[in-house]
């Protein structure tokens, strides 16, 4: 059932059309207009499912201009759906401005959940999935990419990145150098598609595997890296974390981290960084 004046955020398949949900088809068929990242790309999906709703363009280059018009249509009582080229809108895809402004204008925003590459990849990776951090795409510029990896080097959570065919080799080589070549990692390529590959090894092993086989560098990738095993990080997980949490309930993070460091002998900066994740 489609409600007038509501914005529907509709997930679509990341490869296999069989992953389209019946609810997604029902909502896309019932709304007044569909805002698409690429109307020509989405036309194939709509045709496959017999959806005849008009589509308009909503992408990163026209987001700011298209947004007020769409909010106006919502306020006028129309139902609008947002789709991206693949997967869940707003996940490394456009939509943030529209959702932000639609909610600010008091419009209902309704998720229609479905495929999202990072969750599909993580669920089949065999890496710890209780805590993870999604970093999206690393920078195309080597210096910025390496700086970002440096910041993540001590993070104990599983790290998840999106990557394209153009940079997969360079990115994984940088990860091996900066995060440590022995660290376990998993590459999920072309999920739900014909050449789906989920391959785990050390970062050094993955870098060599990519360098040796051009076929493994084709398509779309999710790269997942085991969190840091740094000794300090392991200790923080137990006793020190409890202490940090107690102090944090009374003190600002900086002081709580400094006091925990004095009591436990652990590094203040590591505790501060850990405190940010609590
Ligand atoms: N919104 C999408 C989602 O929900 O996952 C992501 C869009 S982002 C522009 C595209 C990136 O997502 C690709 O470069 C790749 O890193 C990842 N991706 C999308 N589909 C994928 C697939 N079938 N297999 C592996 N990675 C995929």
């Amino acid at each position: 059932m489609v409600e007038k004046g509501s914005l529907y955020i509709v997930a679509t398949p990341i490869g296999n059309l069989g992953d389209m949900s019946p609810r997604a088809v029902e909502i896309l068929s019932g709304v007044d207009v569909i805002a698409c990242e690429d109307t020509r790309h989405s036309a194939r999906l709509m045709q496959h499912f017999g959806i005849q709703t008009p589509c308009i363009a909503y992408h990163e280059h026209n987001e700011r201009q298209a947004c007020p018009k769409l909010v106006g249509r919502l306020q006028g009582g129309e139902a609008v759906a947002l789709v991206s080229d693949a997967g869940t809108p707003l996940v490394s895809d456009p939509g943030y401005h529209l959702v932000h402004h639609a909610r600010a204008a008091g419009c209902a925003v309704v998720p229609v959940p479905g495929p999202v590459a990072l969750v599909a990849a993580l669920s089949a990776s065999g890496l710890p999935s209780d805590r993870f951090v999604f970093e999206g795409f690393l920078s195309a510029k080597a210096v910025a990419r390496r700086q970002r990896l440096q910041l993540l080097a001590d993070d104990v959570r599983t790290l998840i990145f999106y990557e394209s065919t153009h940079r997969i080799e360079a990115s994984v080589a940088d990860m091996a150098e900066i995060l440590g070549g022995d660290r376990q990692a998993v590459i999920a390529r072309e999920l739900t598609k014909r050449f789906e590959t989920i391959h785990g090894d050390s970062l050094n092993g993955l870098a060599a595997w990519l360098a040796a086989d051009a076929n493994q560098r084709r398509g779309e990738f999710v790269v997942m890296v085991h969190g840091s095993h740094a000794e300090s990080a392991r200790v923080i997980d137990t006793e020190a974390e409890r202490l940090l949490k107690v102090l944090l309930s009374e003190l600002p993070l900086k002081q709580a981290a400094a006091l925990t460091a004095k009591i436990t002998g652990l590094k203040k900066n590591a505790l501060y960084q850990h405190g940010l994740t609590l």
Side-chain angles (χ1 to χ4, degrees):
M1 243 298 270
V2 169
E3 296 283 343
K4 293 270 150 221
S6 293
L7 172 63
Y8 293 88
I9 309 302
V10 182
T12 58
I14 56 170
N16 190 328
L17 291 180
D19 293 334
M20 184 82 164
S21 77
R23 183 164 171 242
V25 176
E26 182 195 331
I27 298 289
L28 292 176
S29 303
V31 293
D32 296 295
V33 65
I34 304 171
C36 306
E37 187 183 1
D38 177 343
T39 49
R40 270 192 299 180
H41 179 97
S42 292
R44 290 192 286 274
L45 183 79
M46 304 308 162
Q47 199 177 8
H48 183 88
F49 289 101
I51 297 163
Q52 286 170 353
T53 310
C55 290
I56 59 162
Y58 182 85
H59 45 71
E60 60 175 330
H61 304 296
N62 78 344
E63 240 182 332
R64 283 171 195 271
Q65 300 92 289
C67 185
K69 290 184 197 151
L70 284 167
V71 173
R73 291 179 76 155
L74 288 164
Q75 287 175 316
E78 289 187 64
V80 176
L82 175 70
V83 297
S84 58
D85 285 353
T88 301
L90 283 88
V91 178
S92 292
D93 267 338
Y96 166 74
H97 286 288
L98 182 57
V99 171
H100 181 80
H101 289 291
R103 288 184 60 86
C107 306
V109 181
V110 184
V112 182
V116 55
L118 77 108
V119 174
L122 181 66
S123 71
S125 69
L127 291 172
S129 53
D130 49 348
R131 288 183 184 200
F132 57 89
V133 53
F134 173 57
E135 281 286 317
F137 289 96
L138 285 166
S139 173
K141 299 195 179 99
V143 174
R145 182 170 67 225
R146 292 166 67 88
Q147 275 172 351
R148 186 77 208 153
L149 288 171
Q150 208 81 57
L151 282 176
L152 294 166
D154 290 330
D155 201 313
V156 293
R157 298 168 294 179
T158 297
L159 308 173
I160 307 182
F161 305 91
Y162 278 172
E163 203 41 275
S164 72
T165 188
H166 311 295
R167 278 185 288 279
I168 184 71
E169 198 179 353
S171 281
V172 172
D174 280 350
M175 288 176 197
E177 192 185 322
I178 295 165
L179 304 177
D182 292 341
R183 246 207 248 190
Q184 283 302 303
V186 176
I187 292 181
R189 180 175 82 95
E190 294 288 274
L191 289 169
T192 77
K193 303 186 211 175
R194 181 155 170 231
F195 294 110
E196 178 177 275
T197 310
I198 301 174
H199 182 70
D201 199 342
S202 65
L203 278 169
N204 274 342
L206 288 177
W209 180 69
L210 288 169
D213 185 351
N215 282 330
Q216 301 302 343
R217 304 196 293 268
R218 297 211 171 100
E220 301 190 282
F221 303 85
V222 182
V223 182
M224 295 155 287
V225 184
H226 199 293
S228 169
H229 281 300
E231 194 53 35
S232 59
R234 266 215 299 280
V235 179
I236 289 171
D237 265 352
T238 54
E239 269 307 283
E241 182 176 280
R242 206 171 57 81
L243 179 59
L244 186 60
K245 273 186 180 161
V246 172
L247 293 174
L248 260 181
S249 64
E250 304 286 337
L251 295 170
L253 175 57
K254 205 170 160 194
Q255 273 175 279
L259 271 176
T260 310
K262 267 193 190 153
I263 296 165
T264 61
L266 292 168
K267 287 200 175 130
K268 193 166 64 180
N269 189 38
L271 288 160
Y272 182 87
Q273 292 299 331
H274 190 69
L276 291 174
T277 70
L278 292 177

